[in-house]
Amino acid sequence: MSHEILRNIISYDQDTFTQVTRHYGYVSAAVYRLMGKKLIFVLGSELEGEKPWPPTATFSSDYTPRKGPGLPVGWIKPPFQTETRKIWPKGVSFYFPVQEWSATKLIFVVRNAVGKRTKIGDLDGPLEALGAGISASIDQGEMRQFVSEAHNLEQMERVTIDLQLMIDHELRTPLTSVVGYAELLLDPKKNPDKKQVDDYSNIILDESNKALKAVAKLTDLFKMHWSPEENSQLVESIDMNDICSEVCEIVKSEAEKWSVPIGINSQLNLSFRKPSDQRLTIKGHLPLIRNAIFEVLKNAVMYSGHGTVSLTLYKSEDSVVVDIEDDGVGVSQGAEELIFLRFFQGPLDRSMKKVKRGLGVGLYIARCISEQHGGSLRFIRGAGRSGLFRFILPIEVSAERQDSVNLTQAG
Amino acid sequence: MSEVLVVEDEEHIQRLVKIVLEKNGHQVSTADTGEEALEKLDAGLKPQLILLDIMMPGIDGLQVLKKVKSNQLTKDIPVVMLTALAQESVVLQGIKLGAKGYIRKPFHPKDLVERVTSFLSEDQK
């Protein structure tokens, strides 16, 4: 069962949960994969009324050679105690963060009022009903809060560890080519011919540049501070119509390299909507603004389900707004702010066959840039999981601009 | 002469490994992704050793390893992980899943050859 319902979730989703686990009777379970290697077990109940006390779950690894229930590799206890609560409402679930992916089998053990432990079943088999007398309930609000806190904590922990791993991996990969091809060039037994010398040397140069880029990007993260005051000579008027158009063209030409969605429509369908009657300008650092929009648009393309992405530029009161929307998996409840954390990696849509995932810093950088320009970047939720990314940037209004707008219209 | 399947998504590294191993008399076939590797194996490719990258887009190396080891036709092919990852736990997982060993990137070509040769001859015993 666990394999069929492996999904990526970032927070509790009641509808999905009850739908998936209906057939388990009293205590139901679903196994989800969260952010790569962590497994979250969600245990819940289908029926109202008196219930067994929240079960602790042990799980065993199917990598051990022994048969039978296997070796328990750890106890997971609920993070909160609920002895005082009586009723377990329908459809509410626990959420147990797990350290490492190692489980494929879940065994439920319930502790009754006198502390006696009873195995009530395992994931693959029928679950026995337990007698009345022990019950518990979970407050939904508390659960939601716990879920989002658990995510935040996990994310924070991940950042430090991931940074170290990222640096390691991002540098080791190009260095493998640098070391390897250099040794080929220096091999005393087999002198490379001129073509090979050129070829290998170019690869060494190429990969060295990649290593440099990785270092630069990673160190940039730690000094994302650019202020207009400090860099006044770099501030200029930026025509957002032009910039957005430029970014769209770049994305169209690069999109193939990022992802290959399986599906009938595997072509990128990127639409750019802008006001026909006005040019919108902001003041700022042009390369940074371009980069910010590029990062969000790239993100949309990479996570788009069937390749439909749109960028809409418009004016709203004193602001220039850029809305970027895609038809992909969207962002789960509670994760709207998490996605902007450094190194956050979103879940991969199963329809994306081949995606070269980045460092997970694009959205973080884009948000930093927006804020440095006196604006903001947020994920605005639509219905369900869908939504869009919205840049809001203060519009530049000046007499000169107005004149040039009029000229454009006249010309 | 032995058939080595190299599964590696980074083009330059894949090529490097192929050049180095072919220079030393091995026959090398390649796959850019885990899926491609599994397709080739399904189609009847019978390498004597699989060199497997772990961090790949699409299905990652550990998943490929799992599938190779659970398939009757391929489970006896020794698999050696090629990895830049510093995470011990990932490497250990690979060993638990049945990999024979691992080679860390970056590697010196002659070390790669020595290790491949030794993994191959180990298997023949």
Side-chain angles (χ1 to χ4, degrees), chain A residues 155-226:
Chain A
Q155 265 307 103
M156 299 307 275
E157 267 175 16
R158 272 191 76 221
V159 167
T160 343
I161 301 168
D162 281 1
L163 174 59
Q164 183 208 335
L165 296 175
M166 285 294 181
I167 293 175
D168 214 23
H169 185 268
E170 294 296 304
L171 292 178
R172 282 176 179 274
T173 302
L175 283 175
T176 305
S177 293
V178 170
V179 166
Y181 286 100
E183 290 216 358
L184 284 180
L185 287 173
L186 293 167
D187 190 345
K189 286 182 246 155
K190 304 190 176 157
N191 289 320
D193 58 41
K194 172 84 170 74
K195 182 171 181 301
Q196 280 169 330
V197 169
D198 283 346
D199 202 1
Y200 298 172
S201 305
N202 276 318
I203 292 175
I204 292 172
L205 191 56
D206 217 12
E207 295 290 326
S208 302
N209 283 328
K210 280 189 199 167
L212 279 173
K213 267 195 201 152
V215 169
K217 202 163 191 184
L218 288 163
T219 50
D220 268 351
L221 298 180
F222 295 97
K223 29 179 195 110
M224 277 301 304
H225 66 86
W226 177 88

Side-chain angles (χ1 to χ4, degrees), chain A residues 305-323:
Chain A
H306 299 287
T308 302
V309 177
S310 70
L311 189 153
T312 311
L313 170 69
Y314 59 97
K315 179 169 181 266
S316 170
E317 294 171 9
D318 296 328
S319 306
V320 174
V321 184
V322 179
D323 281 348

Side-chain angles (χ1 to χ4, degrees), chain A residues 78-113:
Chain A
F80 39 79
Q81 302 301 310
T82 57
E83 295 98 321
T84 55
R85 317 252 179 120
K86 290 292 173 193
I87 305 296
W88 193 340
K90 182 174 180 172
V92 180
S93 315
F94 287 117
Y95 186 95
F96 294 2
V98 169
Q99 291 311 306
E100 289 257 59
W101 168 287
S102 58
T104 55
K105 187 168 166 131
L106 201 62
I107 300 168
F108 295 100
V109 173
V110 174
R111 209 176 61 192
N112 67 12

Side-chain angles (χ1 to χ4, degrees), chain A residues 113-411:
Chain A
V114 298
K116 181 183 162 186
R117 288 195 173 114
T118 315
K119 177 182 163 185
I120 60 169
D122 47 50
L123 212 54
D124 295 322
L127 298 171
E128 307 152 33
L130 271 189
I134 306 156
S135 57
S137 78
I138 302 300
D139 181 81
Q140 284 223 24
E142 194 180 299
M143 234 272 309
R144 258 185 232 288
Q145 208 206 335
F146 164 64
V147 166
S148 94
E149 274 169 21
H151 281 116
N152 286 337
L153 278 173
E154 277 180 314
Q155 265 307 103
M156 299 307 275
E157 267 175 16
R158 272 191 76 221
V159 167
T160 343
I161 301 168
D162 281 1
L163 174 59
Q164 183 208 335
L165 296 175
M166 285 294 181
I167 293 175
D168 214 23
H169 185 268
E170 294 296 304
L171 292 178
R172 282 176 179 274
T173 302
L175 283 175
T176 305
S177 293
V178 170
V179 166
Y181 286 100
E183 290 216 358
L184 284 180
L185 287 173
L186 293 167
D187 190 345
K189 286 182 246 155
K190 304 190 176 157
N191 289 320
D193 58 41
K194 172 84 170 74
K195 182 171 181 301
Q196 280 169 330
V197 169
D198 283 346
D199 202 1
Y200 298 172
S201 305
N202 276 318
I203 292 175
I204 292 172
L205 191 56
D206 217 12
E207 295 290 326
S208 302
N209 283 328
K210 280 189 199 167
L212 279 173
K213 267 195 201 152
V215 169
K217 202 163 191 184
L218 288 163
T219 50
D220 268 351
L221 298 180
F222 295 97
K223 29 179 195 110
M224 277 301 304
H225 66 86
W226 177 88
S227 71
E229 292 78 37
E230 284 176 36
N231 298 279
S232 53
Q233 73 277 19
L234 298 172
V235 172
E236 56 183 301
S237 288
I238 302 171
D239 184 321
M240 293 302 286
N241 301 49
D242 286 343
I243 290 299
C244 289
S245 179
E246 205 183 304
V247 171
C248 286
E249 290 309 307
I250 297 173
V251 165
K252 279 183 196 164
S253 65
E254 303 266 301
E256 260 181 31
K257 295 188 208 161
W258 299 332
S259 68
V260 181
I262 300 178
I264 311 157
N265 181 11
S266 59
Q267 288 277 52
L268 173 63
N269 176 14
L270 171 58
S271 58
F272 172 33
R273 295 193 277 266
K274 59 180 174 180
S276 50
D277 58 342
Q278 56 183 177
R279 300 206 78 87
L280 300 172
T281 64
I282 64 168
K283 262 185 109 88
H285 187 42
L286 195 146
L288 284 180
I289 293 290
R290 183 170 44 213
N291 193 26
I293 297 177
F294 174 78
E295 289 292 350
V296 178
L297 192 56
K298 177 175 175 179
N299 185 83
V301 168
M302 280 182 63
Y303 288 92
S304 137
H306 299 287
T308 302
V309 177
S310 70
L311 189 153
T312 311
L313 170 69
Y314 59 97
K315 179 169 181 266
S316 170
E317 294 171 9
D318 296 328
S319 306
V320 174
V321 184
V322 179
D323 281 348
I324 293 174
E325 195 165 4
D326 67 77
D327 62 353
V329 289
V331 174
S332 311
Q333 286 282 1
E336 297 89 344
E337 287 299 303
L338 292 181
I339 53 178
F340 292 102
L341 288 178
R342 279 188 281 215
F343 309 121
F344 183 89
Q345 298 270 8
L348 271 184
D349 193 324
R350 281 292 145 229
S351 70
M352 292 162 86
K353 212 173 165 184
K354 179 177 168 135
V355 174
K356 275 216 176 268
R357 297 173 82 182
L359 292 173
V361 295
L363 290 180
Y364 170 79
I365 289 175
R367 172 175 268 188
C368 283
I369 293 173
S370 319
E371 288 170 0
Q372 285 155 8
H373 283 79
S376 65
L377 171 61
R378 286 170 55 212
F379 179 77
I380 313 278
R381 181 161 299 287
R385 291 177 67 114
S386 72
L388 51 81
F389 285 92
R390 174 166 292 162
F391 281 96
I392 298 179
L393 295 160
I395 201 166
E396 180 194 25
V397 179
S398 64
E400 299 98 313
R401 268 290 126 186
Q402 285 296 99
D403 287 339
S404 64
V405 164
N406 294 333
L407 281 171
T408 315
Q409 284 173 325

Side-chain angles (χ1 to χ4, degrees), chain A residues 3 37 61-63 100-101 104 164-165 168-169 172-177 179-181 183-184 187 190 199-200 203 206-207 210 348 352-357, chain B residues 9-13 15-16 19-20 23-24 32-33 35 39 55 57-60 62 66 84-87 89-90 93 96-97 104-110:
Chain A
H3 306 286
K37 296 268 182 265
S61 163
D62 69 349
Y63 308 150
E100 289 257 59
W101 168 287
T104 55
Q164 183 208 335
L165 296 175
D168 214 23
H169 185 268
R172 282 176 179 274
T173 302
L175 283 175
T176 305
S177 293
V179 166
Y181 286 100
E183 290 216 358
L184 284 180
D187 190 345
K190 304 190 176 157
D199 202 1
Y200 298 172
I203 292 175
D206 217 12
E207 295 290 326
K210 280 189 199 167
L348 271 184
M352 292 162 86
K353 212 173 165 184
K354 179 177 168 135
V355 174
K356 275 216 176 268
R357 297 173 82 182
Chain B
D9 68 304
E10 291 278 339
E11 187 197 326
H12 294 155
I13 298 180
R15 202 175 139 205
L16 173 69
I19 293 172
V20 167
K23 268 179 163 199
N24 282 272
D32 296 340
T33 62
E35 286 93 341
E39 276 166 30
M55 281 269 263
I59 78 172
D60 70 25
L62 290 179
K66 212 172 172 191
L85 287 173
Q87 262 172 311
S89 58
V90 174
Q93 253 181 293
K96 271 191 190 172
L97 283 168
R104 182 151 276 157
K105 296 177 191 168
F107 44 77
H108 293 278
K110 63 175 168 58

Side-chain angles (χ1 to χ4, degrees), chain B residues 60-78:
Chain B
D60 70 25
L62 290 179
Q63 291 184 60
V64 173
L65 176 55
K66 212 172 172 191
K67 291 201 180 202
V68 165
K69 289 296 161 185
S70 59
N71 182 342
Q72 226 13 61
L73 296 169
T74 56
K75 68 180 175 62
D76 294 321
I77 305 175

